[in-house]
Amino acid sequence: MLAFIGLGQMGIPMVRNLLRGGHSVRGYDLLLSASAQFAEDPSFFRAATPVEVVTNCTTVILMLPDSRIVDNLLWGSGDASAGDGLARSLAAGTLLIDMGSSDPLHSRDNFDRLHALGIHFIDAPVSGGVKRAIDGSLSIMIGGESAVVEQARPILQSMG
Protein backbone atom coordinates (compact mmCIF):
# COMPACT_ATOMS: atom_id res chain seq x y z
CA MET A 1 0.00 0.00 0.00
CA LEU A 2 1.31 3.42 -0.99
CA ALA A 3 0.47 6.62 0.87
CA PHE A 4 0.12 9.78 -1.23
CA ILE A 5 -0.13 13.23 0.36
CA GLY A 6 -1.04 16.16 -1.88
CA LEU A 7 -4.00 15.55 -4.20
CA GLY A 8 -3.76 18.76 -6.17
CA GLN A 9 -3.45 19.42 -9.88
CA MET A 10 -0.35 17.26 -10.15
CA GLY A 11 -1.12 14.74 -7.40
CA ILE A 12 -4.48 13.60 -8.76
CA PRO A 13 -3.17 12.47 -12.17
CA MET A 14 -0.09 10.97 -10.53
CA VAL A 15 -2.34 8.86 -8.28
CA ARG A 16 -4.40 7.83 -11.32
CA ASN A 17 -1.24 6.53 -12.96
CA LEU A 18 -0.21 4.67 -9.81
CA LEU A 19 -3.64 3.01 -9.74
CA ARG A 20 -3.36 2.12 -13.46
CA GLY A 21 0.05 0.64 -12.63
CA GLY A 22 -1.58 -1.79 -10.21
CA HIS A 23 -0.69 -0.02 -6.97
CA SER A 24 -3.10 0.38 -4.08
CA VAL A 25 -3.06 3.97 -2.82
CA ARG A 26 -4.21 5.60 0.39
CA GLY A 27 -4.52 9.33 -0.27
CA TYR A 28 -4.75 12.48 1.82
CA ASP A 29 -5.19 16.16 1.11
CA LEU A 30 -6.19 19.06 3.34
CA LEU A 31 -9.23 19.37 1.05
CA LEU A 32 -11.06 16.12 1.77
CA SER A 33 -13.10 16.63 -1.40
CA ALA A 34 -9.91 16.20 -3.48
CA SER A 35 -10.18 12.43 -3.22
CA ALA A 36 -13.87 12.27 -4.20
CA GLN A 37 -13.11 11.40 -7.81
CA PHE A 38 -11.48 8.15 -6.65
CA ALA A 39 -14.61 7.07 -4.73
CA GLU A 40 -15.42 4.28 -7.20
CA ASP A 41 -11.88 2.88 -7.40
CA PRO A 42 -11.49 -0.13 -5.08
CA SER A 43 -7.71 0.35 -4.97
CA PHE A 44 -7.95 3.88 -3.54
CA PHE A 45 -8.60 4.59 0.11
CA ARG A 46 -9.22 8.10 1.44
CA ALA A 47 -7.54 8.97 4.70
CA ALA A 48 -8.95 11.64 6.98
CA THR A 49 -5.62 12.63 8.56
CA PRO A 50 -1.92 12.57 7.68
CA VAL A 51 -1.29 9.95 10.38
CA GLU A 52 -4.07 7.75 9.01
CA VAL A 53 -2.67 7.95 5.48
CA VAL A 54 0.75 6.59 6.51
CA THR A 55 -0.51 3.86 8.84
CA ASN A 56 0.66 0.46 7.56
CA CYS A 57 2.17 2.01 4.41
CA THR A 58 5.73 1.14 3.47
CA THR A 59 6.06 3.97 0.94
CA VAL A 60 4.90 7.57 1.37
CA ILE A 61 4.85 10.01 -1.55
CA LEU A 62 4.64 13.75 -0.96
CA MET A 63 3.48 16.07 -3.76
CA LEU A 64 3.44 19.34 -1.86
CA PRO A 65 4.10 22.92 -3.03
CA ASP A 66 7.29 23.76 -1.14
CA SER A 67 9.82 22.87 1.56
CA ARG A 68 8.07 24.89 4.24
CA ILE A 69 4.96 22.72 3.92
CA VAL A 70 7.00 19.49 3.78
CA ASP A 71 9.01 20.49 6.85
CA ASN A 72 5.87 21.47 8.77
CA LEU A 73 4.25 18.17 7.90
CA LEU A 74 7.27 16.07 8.88
CA TRP A 75 8.59 17.93 11.89
CA GLY A 76 5.73 20.01 13.21
CA SER A 77 4.28 23.45 12.80
CA GLY A 78 2.28 23.92 15.94
CA ASP A 79 -0.90 23.27 13.93
CA ALA A 80 -2.22 19.79 14.72
CA SER A 81 -4.36 19.76 11.55
CA ALA A 82 -1.15 19.94 9.51
CA GLY A 83 -0.02 16.56 10.86
CA ASP A 84 2.34 17.98 13.44
CA GLY A 85 5.42 15.80 13.40
CA LEU A 86 4.35 13.12 10.92
CA ALA A 87 7.90 11.72 10.85
CA ARG A 88 7.24 10.29 14.32
CA SER A 89 4.40 8.21 12.83
CA LEU A 90 6.55 6.57 10.17
CA ALA A 91 7.88 3.09 10.90
CA ALA A 92 11.57 2.38 10.54
CA GLY A 93 12.23 1.13 7.01
CA THR A 94 9.52 3.32 5.46
CA LEU A 95 10.45 4.93 2.14
CA LEU A 96 9.50 8.61 1.87
CA ILE A 97 9.60 10.16 -1.62
CA ASP A 98 9.38 13.96 -1.88
CA MET A 99 8.20 14.75 -5.42
CA GLY A 100 7.36 18.42 -4.92
CA SER A 101 9.39 21.56 -5.49
CA SER A 102 11.48 21.35 -2.35
CA ASP A 103 14.64 23.32 -1.70
CA PRO A 104 17.68 21.01 -2.03
CA LEU A 105 19.12 22.20 1.31
CA HIS A 106 15.86 21.27 3.06
CA SER A 107 15.87 17.91 1.26
CA ARG A 108 19.40 17.16 2.48
CA ASP A 109 18.40 18.08 6.01
CA ASN A 110 15.29 15.89 5.77
CA PHE A 111 17.43 13.02 4.47
CA ASP A 112 19.72 13.30 7.50
CA ARG A 113 16.91 13.65 10.03
CA LEU A 114 14.85 10.81 8.56
CA HIS A 115 17.91 8.58 8.21
CA ALA A 116 18.52 9.01 11.95
CA LEU A 117 15.01 7.58 12.49
CA GLY A 118 15.65 4.61 10.17
CA ILE A 119 13.45 6.07 7.42
CA HIS A 120 14.64 6.07 3.78
CA PHE A 121 14.33 9.32 1.81
CA ILE A 122 14.41 10.13 -1.88
CA ASP A 123 14.20 13.60 -3.36
CA ALA A 124 12.38 13.16 -6.69
CA PRO A 125 11.06 16.47 -8.07
CA VAL A 126 9.15 16.31 -11.33
CA SER A 127 9.06 18.33 -14.53
CA GLY A 128 6.45 18.33 -17.25
CA GLY A 129 3.41 19.97 -15.71
CA VAL A 130 -0.13 18.70 -15.51
CA LYS A 131 -0.21 17.46 -19.13
CA ARG A 132 2.68 15.06 -18.53
CA ALA A 133 1.33 14.12 -15.10
CA ILE A 134 -1.88 13.06 -16.84
CA ASP A 135 -0.18 10.92 -19.48
CA GLY A 136 2.40 9.48 -17.06
CA SER A 137 5.44 10.93 -18.83
CA LEU A 138 6.82 13.22 -16.12
CA SER A 139 10.57 13.73 -16.01
CA ILE A 140 11.67 12.70 -12.52
CA MET A 141 15.02 13.86 -11.15
CA ILE A 142 15.97 11.37 -8.44
CA GLY A 143 18.41 11.89 -5.60
CA GLY A 144 19.05 9.32 -2.91
CA GLU A 145 20.94 6.17 -2.00
CA SER A 146 21.27 3.84 -5.02
CA ALA A 147 19.61 0.82 -3.40
CA VAL A 148 16.68 2.94 -2.22
CA VAL A 149 16.28 4.52 -5.66
CA GLU A 150 16.15 1.04 -7.20
CA GLN A 151 13.51 0.03 -4.65
CA ALA A 152 11.42 3.06 -5.71
CA ARG A 153 11.94 2.67 -9.46
CA PRO A 154 8.78 0.57 -10.19
CA ILE A 155 6.64 3.12 -8.35
CA LEU A 156 8.25 6.08 -10.09
CA GLN A 157 7.96 4.41 -13.51
CA SER A 158 4.17 4.44 -13.10
CA MET A 159 4.31 8.24 -13.17
CA GLY A 160 7.18 9.10 -15.50
Side-chain angles (χ1 to χ4, degrees), residues 52-108:
E52 181 184 350
V53 78
V54 302
T55 301
N56 298 321
C57 288
T58 57
T59 302
V60 177
I61 300 170
L62 305 179
M63 189 58 188
L64 300 169
D66 60 44
S67 295
R68 181 186 58 78
I69 294 169
V70 170
D71 293 350
N72 285 344
L73 178 74
L74 292 176
W75 310 112
S77 66
D79 176 3
S81 68
D84 231 1
L86 186 65
R88 290 186 303 267
S89 298
L90 300 175
T94 298
L95 168 58
L96 189 133
I97 306 171
D98 182 1
M99 299 189 79
S101 299
S102 292
D103 178 294
L105 295 177
H106 285 256
S107 294
R108 287 186 192 126

Side-chain angles (χ1 to χ4, degrees), residues 8-11 13-14 17 127-138:
Q9 289 184 348
M10 294 290 288
M14 292 167 75
N17 286 316
S127 176
V130 175
K131 181 182 184 305
R132 291 183 63 191
I134 291 169
D135 67 21
S137 65
L138 289 167

Side-chain angles (χ1 to χ4, degrees), residues 14-55:
M14 292 167 75
V15 167
R16 279 196 186 110
N17 286 316
L18 288 167
L19 294 168
R20 279 188 209 116
H23 300 282
S24 294
V25 178
R26 184 178 297 146
Y28 173 78
D29 195 274
L30 284 175
L31 298 173
L32 293 179
S33 62
S35 60
Q37 60 195 289
F38 298 110
E40 300 300 317
D41 193 314
S43 295
F44 182 86
F45 308 89
R46 182 183 66 81
T49 67
V51 171
E52 181 184 350
V53 78
V54 302
T55 301

